[in-house]
Amino acid sequence: MTSIRPFTGVFLCGIAALVFAAPTLFLAADSPTGPKVAFLVVGTIILALGALRIRREGAASARGTDEPAKRVSGE
């Protein structure tokens, strides 16, 4: 059974990309840097939350299986 929940991190990363692109798309090239920095900070926070969410989803799915984790050597 699959759920939509594993895609939450991907959606957060996509939203972060839109936030990063917003100053380029909507603000003038010679506009003050203050609003651009605000978009950068907000996008960075959303991207970090998305990355953490993706890592947690992988850990949760690995814990939910009955099989022991298989380790791959660096060979």
Side-chain angles (χ1 to χ4, degrees):
M1 175 165 62
T2 60
S3 69
I4 248 174
R5 189 170 174 219
F7 294 108
T8 306
V10 175
F11 290 136
L12 282 173
C13 290
I15 291 170
L18 293 174
V19 171
F20 285 137
T24 304
L25 297 173
F26 301 117
L27 298 177
D30 58 350
S31 65
T33 58
K36 293 178 184 180
V37 171
F39 278 102
L40 183 65
V41 168
V42 170
T44 302
I45 291 169
I46 295 172
L47 182 64
L49 289 174
L52 288 172
R53 182 72 183 172
I54 290 171
R55 291 189 53 85
R56 265 195 237 154
E57 289 166 355
S61 65
R63 271 188 264 131
T65 62
D66 292 335
E67 297 178 18
K70 296 178 183 164
R71 296 185 179 248
V72 178
S73 64
E75 297 175 50

